[in-house]
Amino acid sequence: MGIETLTFGCRLNAYESEVMKAEALKAGLDNAIIINTCAVTAEAVRQAKQAVRKARRDHPDAKIIVTGCAAQTEARSFGDMAEVDMVIGNNDKMKAASYTPMVFGTPLNDKVQVNDIMSVRETAGHLIEGMDGRARAFVQVQNGCDHRCTFCIIPFGRGPSRSVPMGVVVDQIKKLVDNGYGEVVLTGVDITSYGGDLPGLPSLGKLTQSILRHVPSLPRLRISSIDSIEADEALYDAVASDRRLMPHLHLSLQSGDDMILKRMKRRHSRDDALAIVSKLRTLRPDMVFGADIIAGFPTEDDEMFDNTLRIVEEADLTYLHVFPYSPREGTPAARMPQVDKGVAKRRAAMLRAAGERQVAKLQASRIGMVESVLIERDGLGRTEQFLPVAVAGTQPGELLAVRVTGAGTDGLVGEPVRDAA
């Protein structure tokens, strides 16, 4: 069966799964399933364990390897699973050597290979030729996080913030463009902290400008989730000056209430978030925003939640990633007075409904417009604002002018403008 990867969680994990597969093949591993886990919620961990059990049922003879953030933070619980052959920590999962000497069926202490992630000080830039079957490719520019939000376990799964040197990032993007990729997405755990550990302290904005300057043949550059309070002036300049930087940013917002933001130990206020959104829209009027939002954070009352619900429309947020709060053992928020789980779920449902209304409004505003669409797989592409568009008769990798003719339940519908310049 070769090597199969199952990926949970963020875009960074998707990138890392490609690297792990390449490294494992280099090491000569075969007949294996690598499960790259996420630890952001208790539900994510539960789903990973469910996937382990299913993988064993479906492939009784395969080697089952568990890695990723949940494997880092809960190594013992995965190691205790009879279905698992090896647990590999985040620091070692993208190294061929981690897959070379594998002796499966060994005692428990041998099959758990998880080191102290907090001692890691460097992140390597892994050159990959592309992502299987996609016109978009993710490039890791940063890993880890130095902040300590009270709800978050991820710093203990990823370690301290560390950056990939600008030259390495630029070289990888050049390679991806040479291989036909029309869009590159910069990704990491806390990418707006980029460069704080590098000589000269380059920022995310400086990195973005360097990519756009040194890879003139790159059609599209997209930035993944950012901590908006850390955005630097060079990033604002890039947004304003180069149309190849896509008008779509995903904000690590988490809440729209100032008291909850303080209890989360976030570094922005409600007004900060609104001001940053306004500034970016002034620079780029077609800019759209997504956001991560937690519903039912400890101590959140109805008025606090209403502040969060209202900011969806006030900031005109569109793509919402909504999570009912999930206590993570070892985090300060887990010791705070908890909101009833049923209340948290209802609030999450209200936020998701608000997000769906916002997406429908954005889609309706694009009908009749001509959009630049990158086809990612047969007949389906994305606009610059990340809206999905069905375009019949197209092939992956095509970058087309498309007239939007309507909107359906799964996104927009359009047709190529063949005579467009």
Side-chain angles (χ1 to χ4, degrees), residues 2 46 72 107 112 169 189 214 227 236 253 286 299 316 348 386 413:
R46 187 195 68 79
Q72 182 71 42
V112 178
V169 174
V189 175
H214 293 294
D227 193 344
Y236 289 122
L253 180 65
D286 58 345
T299 76
D316 198 15
F386 207 61
V413 178

Side-chain angles (χ1 to χ4, degrees), residues 93-362:
K93 69 182 182 181
M94 296 195 292
K95 300 175 182 177
S98 300
Y99 304 95
T100 301
M102 303 187 76
V103 181
F104 293 89
T106 54
L108 179 63
N109 287 342
D110 293 328
K111 79 173 184 177
V112 178
Q113 298 183 1
V114 178
N115 296 324
D116 177 16
I117 195 70
M118 303 310 290
S119 66
V120 179
R121 290 293 177 267
E122 293 183 358
T123 284
H126 292 273
L127 294 177
I128 57 172
E129 295 187 357
M131 307 286 281
D132 288 344
R134 301 181 186 176
R136 286 188 299 138
F138 304 133
V139 171
Q140 179 188 14
V141 302
Q142 181 272 344
N143 204 344
C145 184
D146 291 335
H147 307 306
R148 292 296 180 266
C149 299
T150 59
F151 57 84
C152 189
I153 197 72
I154 296 304
F156 303 99
R158 289 284 182 175
S161 180
R162 51 211 190 273
S163 311
V164 179
M166 286 202 298
V168 176
V169 174
V170 169
D171 286 345
Q172 178 162 7
I173 292 174
K174 286 179 178 177
K175 187 173 185 178
L176 289 166
V177 172
D178 288 344
N179 287 341
Y181 279 77
E183 180 174 304
V184 167
V185 183
L186 303 185
T187 188
V189 175
D190 179 30
I191 66 171
T192 31
S193 70
Y194 177 87
D197 57 323
L198 295 177
L201 305 180
S203 63
L204 177 63
K206 292 294 185 184
L207 172 66
T208 301
Q209 291 178 333
S210 180
I211 293 166
L212 294 168
R213 182 170 61 253
H214 293 294
V215 196
S217 56
L218 171 66
R220 290 181 166 193
L221 180 64
R222 198 179 293 276
I223 295 174
S224 63
S225 180
I226 67 167
D227 193 344
S228 56
I229 201 69
E230 289 185 321
D232 63 297
E233 285 304 317
L235 183 59
Y236 289 122
D237 289 345
V239 168
S241 63
D242 200 314
R243 302 289 298 184
R244 291 179 297 150
L245 184 57
M246 294 295 94
H248 164 239
L249 286 172
H250 194 83
L251 308 178
S252 182
L253 180 65
Q254 310 306 345
S255 176
D257 180 81
D258 282 338
M259 181 56 71
I260 292 298
L261 287 168
K262 287 181 180 179
R263 289 171 179 166
M264 288 178 166
K265 208 174 178 181
R266 301 295 293 163
R267 288 160 301 130
H268 66 269
S269 67
R270 190 179 205 280
D271 285 346
D272 288 334
L274 291 169
I276 288 164
V277 165
S278 177
K279 179 175 181 177
L280 284 163
R281 282 210 176 95
T282 298
L283 296 172
R284 190 81 179 265
D286 58 345
M287 181 72 75
V288 299
F289 296 94
D292 293 328
I293 302 179
I294 296 173
F297 184 81
T299 76
E300 182 186 71
D301 61 21
D302 289 343
E303 182 179 353
M304 294 169 176
F305 171 69
D306 186 59
N307 286 333
T308 296
L309 190 60
R310 285 190 297 108
I311 205 172
V312 174
E313 288 194 12
E314 290 176 22
D316 198 15
L317 305 176
T318 304
Y319 309 101
L320 302 187
H321 291 175
V322 179
F323 305 90
Y325 172 74
S326 175
R328 308 299 285 124
E329 184 179 351
T331 61
R335 301 190 296 272
M336 296 179 185
Q338 302 293 301
V339 171
D340 178 81
K341 288 183 179 180
V343 171
K345 287 183 178 180
R346 286 194 296 273
R347 289 175 180 171
M350 292 172 67
L351 283 166
R352 291 189 185 109
E356 288 168 3
R357 290 192 295 270
Q358 290 288 100
V359 170
K361 183 177 74 172
L362 177 61

